[in-house]
Amino acid sequence: MDYIDQLNDSQREAVLYEGGPQLVIAGAGSGKTRVLTYRIAHLLDRGVRANHILALTFTNKAAREMKDRIAHVVGAERARYLWMGTFHSICTKILRREAALLGFTADFSIYDTTDSKSVVKQVVRDLGLDEKVYKTNAMLSKISAAKNVLCTSEMYAQNSSYAARDRMERHYRMAEVYHNYQLRLRAANAMDFDDLLTNICFLFRDHPDVLANYQEQFTHVLVDEYQDTNYAQFLIVRQLGEPQNNVCVVGDDAQSIYSFRGADIRNILTFRNGYPDARLFKLERNYRSTQTIVEAANSLIHQNKNQIYKHIYSENAVGDRLPLTGYLSDREEAEGVVEDIAARRGVNYDDIAVLYRTNAQSRAFENELRKHGIAYRIYGGTSFYQRKEVKDAVCYFRLAANPQDTEALLRVINTPARGIGETTMRRVAECAAGHGVSLMQVVEQPQECGLQVSAATQKKLMQFGLFMAELRDLSETADAYSFAEQVLNRSGLMTAAALDRTPEGIDRKQNLDELLSGIRDFVRQREEQGISFTPISDFLAEVSLLTDQDERLTDETPRVTLMTIHAAKGLEFPYVYIVGLEENLFPGPFCETAAEIEEERRLLYVAITRAMVRCSLSYARQRFRNGSVQFTSPSRFLRDIDRRYLSMEQAVPVREAPRGWSTGYAGGWSSERQDIRNSRHPELRNSRTPELRPSPPSPASEPLPSEEPTAQDWGLQAGDRITHRVFGNGTVTRLYRSNDNDKVDIRFDEKGDKTLLLTYAKLTKI
């Protein structure tokens, strides 16, 4: 048992505990996997048979890694018969044995997300419902959420709260969709991913003899990432753990960030309700990060009321304070972050990660990294210009600029759906080849080209051809941004994304908004260089050059990692940049309840604790959203972080610290308040009052250096009247330096406020 010597005192206690149920709260970077692995090894050393141990994880990778570690400690033969895997894989194994009891055969199919979407789509069509209202993703999301709480289609139809919500969303026949979806799965001898969990619960409920057999077999049940369990998973653990209740769950309530997938933080917070004699263990030493990073994260997460209180500490180096930088715009935020990355000479790019709240934010950082020749990867996602909705939009632009672009035509002619299917387009292609003309010419003139399709189909083709002809004319007169905005609106791409309120639909809308933002920035940069008109073809040339760079990179090329914070959970990097820390972005615009705000705070906690050596924070004062530039305010969460652990670095003239900091929350909690616990569940810290102390000196209160160049530098000063060859006459309101560029803010008489680079502006005083 030499492996026991590798554990610290807290880890050793949890591994060697013999008294029944246990809750192991494992802080970020505290060695959670090691404890779970060695706990299983210890049980095997005690003589527990491998096939009597059930270990449940959330990913196949985690299960493989743990099994390999256990085999390394106790030998492959002893570890061979462990029941270890994801909830879904273990449930599948049991269901195949007991399928007949549920009316399935042992070789039932398991439908993945693509299969399920296909079934839902067919159900909606067969019921004669409007596919634009009964969107596939929305329907499947509602069905999945119902199954997570063991709500059958029959129960759904009788639930008044579901009915009220569906009426509000015009899904009047949602219960029928759910019912028919289940009928089709049953007819196909198939289950979807959610059924694998719910059917196990129903199997154990309706067949207590079967449950008793598995309870007798599994004398010990262990669960990883318990904070991520939904109700069905909670019930499976509960059912299989009885009556011995040798249940060991490991997790961290402070890292519960998946409620949108059905995870219920109450499972871990109230664990000791169901197991009153459970022992609580806290793994509070962080082996990953510097002391400053850990304390900054502590000061943030201690603001949450519903949590199991712990104080994570580190014995690593103290480390630097977390730089907090305010930028004038989202574009300048990307510029500043990438310039800082480029300046880190000798640092391997694989050691750097940029974390953001939404997928759409990657666009600006991808552009800047490419400009600097820095390779990058999108972890757990797709490069911005390769995302479906972005490619759809770009193909509209391409087709307007070049009617001969066959690939673009085939992609967009039925996107959004216009009733022009693959069979029609095959005939169009055959007709074009037979007459020696382009596909677009056949689309525009189907009768003249002799296309053999119905009159209704000819009309649809000609309508699309007319629409594209209008866009071609528009592309010659409107600048790239105005053109793109009209294309997205008139094509229906933006409307289709806006109507889809699923997480995927919201992502698509944000990506299209971000595409417009990128085009707007491109046009503005050209204006600053004195180029008065930027057609969409210039933007397309820029995009093709950017995307072409990806193909020249090898898998061995060191790359900066770009990812959402949700995707970053479980990972670590020496250098982390957390960007976009603004209200209505982080926390997001749909956060309304206290519980939602607390989950967003936990999300930032997860982000900060990914960093090992340095964690940089940033926000922008203005960001392009919904077709316009909007002024933003720093995230409320920045006020939660003790200022002793922050270093204020103003990249632009942001004269004030985030609102509310002047009250001086210096961080820390009084010892008296730390001892306050809920009387019934002492591990829950339900109320906390910050200890008010005089604020220590902070860079936030130090005067900022002057950012305005002298009048002699450019022969200008605030108040001067000028003229610009594109924007006309205006008044200088401010001159300053930012990101090594001299800039001027001008209020033009007709074009409004604009910021220009003085190097390119070519201004004339009047």
Side-chain angles (χ1 to χ4, degrees), residues 570-585:
L571 303 177
E572 59 184 33
F573 300 88
Y575 299 89
V576 169
Y577 296 82
I578 306 173
V579 301
L581 287 166
E582 301 138 33
E583 286 294 301
N584 293 320
L585 183 57

Side-chain angles (χ1 to χ4, degrees), residues 253 269-270 273 302-309 598 673-689:
D253 57 293
L269 291 180
T270 62
N273 284 6
H302 285 170
Q303 304 298 324
N304 273 8
K305 292 183 178 180
N306 293 305
Q307 63 173 295
I308 299 173
Y309 180 77
E598 290 206 347
R673 289 295 179 180
Q674 284 183 353
D675 290 335
I676 292 177
R677 300 291 188 272
N678 180 285
S679 60
R680 185 174 179 186
H681 308 295
E683 76 274 16
L684 293 186
R685 185 180 181 90
N686 285 326
S687 63
R688 230 169 343 279
T689 302

Side-chain angles (χ1 to χ4, degrees), residues 704-746:
L704 294 174
S706 172
E707 292 171 307
E708 296 190 0
T710 63
Q712 291 88 339
D713 290 337
W714 294 97
L716 290 173
Q717 61 184 2
D720 283 350
R721 292 284 292 170
I722 56 87
T723 187
H724 184 274
R725 67 176 188 171
V726 176
F727 303 127
N729 297 338
T731 302
V732 174
T733 58
R734 188 167 60 121
L735 296 100
Y736 58 96
R737 187 169 185 78
S738 172
N739 294 332
D740 296 325
N741 290 312
D742 288 335
K743 300 186 177 184
V744 58
D745 287 351
I746 302 172

Side-chain angles (χ1 to χ4, degrees), residues 10-17 20-27 30-36 39 222-227 247-253 268 271-272 278-284 308 310:
S10 298
Q11 293 171 334
R12 189 179 300 112
E13 277 190 80
V15 167
L16 299 180
Y17 180 64
Q22 59 186 126
L23 170 61
V24 182
I25 298 298
S30 63
K32 167 181 67 68
T33 303
R34 171 175 289 191
V35 167
L36 201 56
R39 172 72 181 166
L222 302 96
V223 187
D224 189 19
E225 303 286 7
Y226 190 67
Q227 77 280 348
V247 175
C248 172
V249 301
V250 182
D252 183 7
D253 57 293
I268 193 168
F271 179 79
R272 296 210 293 180
R279 174 79 180 274
L280 173 65
F281 298 89
K282 297 179 183 179
L283 309 183
E284 296 177 300
I308 299 173
K310 54 196 167 295

Side-chain angles (χ1 to χ4, degrees), residues 1-3 37-54 66-84:
M1 294 178 59
D2 293 341
Y3 58 86
T37 299
Y38 289 178
R39 172 72 181 166
I40 295 171
H42 174 64
L43 291 174
L44 292 171
D45 280 341
R46 274 183 45 216
V48 178
R49 293 170 58 183
N51 67 330
H52 286 186
I53 298 174
L54 172 64
M66 277 201 289
K67 200 162 189 177
D68 288 344
R69 288 193 193 187
I70 294 166
H72 180 72
V73 173
V74 302
E77 187 61 29
R78 293 178 68 190
R80 179 180 174 186
Y81 297 103
L82 287 169
W83 277 62
M84 176 176 286

Side-chain angles (χ1 to χ4, degrees), residues 365-615:
F365 296 95
E366 290 185 58
N367 284 1
E368 289 301 319
L369 287 165
R370 285 162 170 159
K371 289 177 184 177
H372 283 74
I374 298 174
Y376 68 89
R377 67 173 63 84
I378 304 288
Y379 184 92
T382 307
S383 177
F384 183 80
Y385 289 106
Q386 296 302 314
R387 293 169 192 165
K388 179 185 182 303
E389 58 279 3
V390 175
K391 289 189 73 171
D392 290 343
V394 169
C395 280
Y396 269 108
F397 304 160
R398 284 169 42 188
L399 189 59
N402 174 20
Q404 313 305 314
D405 190 333
T406 300
E407 291 305 313
L409 171 63
L410 293 174
R411 184 179 185 95
V412 303
I413 195 166
N414 202 39
T415 305
R418 298 184 176 87
I420 304 174
E422 293 182 6
T423 301
T424 296
M425 291 313 297
R426 277 199 300 271
R427 292 178 180 175
V428 168
E430 292 167 359
C431 182
H435 289 75
V437 297
S438 68
L439 268 66
M440 180 57 79
Q441 189 169 338
V442 176
V443 168
E444 292 176 328
Q445 301 175 320
Q447 289 181 322
E448 290 82 345
C449 295
L451 179 63
Q452 299 299 309
V453 294
S454 68
T457 301
Q458 286 189 6
K459 183 178 180 180
K460 293 173 184 175
L461 291 169
M462 288 188 291
Q463 286 175 336
F464 179 78
L466 180 61
F467 172 57
M468 290 309 306
E470 292 172 353
L471 293 186
R472 282 199 296 277
D473 292 341
L474 181 64
S475 70
E476 296 174 1
T477 57
D479 70 22
Y481 173 70
S482 299
F483 172 78
E485 189 176 36
Q486 290 203 50
V487 169
L488 293 186
N489 289 324
R490 293 175 59 183
S491 67
L493 289 177
M494 188 66 84
T495 301
L499 290 175
D500 187 349
R501 304 311 297 165
T502 63
E504 297 82 2
I506 292 170
D507 268 356
R508 283 195 289 273
K509 173 64 164 56
Q510 291 172 337
N511 286 333
L512 292 177
D513 281 338
E514 190 60 28
L515 175 62
L516 285 178
S517 177
I519 298 172
R520 173 184 160 276
D521 285 346
F522 180 71
V523 171
R524 180 171 287 183
Q525 288 174 11
R526 305 258 293 185
E527 288 174 348
E528 291 172 354
Q529 298 169 21
I531 300 173
S532 59
F533 180 72
T534 299
I536 192 64
S537 56
D538 286 4
F539 175 76
L540 291 172
E542 178 85 358
V543 169
S544 64
L545 290 174
L546 290 175
T547 54
D548 180 62
Q549 294 178 21
D550 293 336
E551 299 176 3
R552 296 198 293 269
L553 299 174
T554 67
D555 290 339
E556 291 76 28
T557 304
R559 302 168 189 252
V560 172
T561 299
L562 305 181
M563 66 172 78
T564 65
I565 300 169
H566 281 101
K569 186 171 176 293
L571 303 177
E572 59 184 33
F573 300 88
Y575 299 89
V576 169
Y577 296 82
I578 306 173
V579 301
L581 287 166
E582 301 138 33
E583 286 294 301
N584 293 320
L585 183 57
F586 203 162
F590 302 107
C591 290
E592 298 175 353
T593 67
E596 290 168 340
I597 293 296
E598 290 206 347
E599 177 156 338
E600 289 285 294
R601 189 179 282 112
R602 293 195 295 269
L603 189 60
L604 180 55
Y605 174 83
V606 167
I608 293 173
T609 54
R610 299 310 94 196
M612 302 166 68
V613 177
R614 182 179 174 88
C615 180

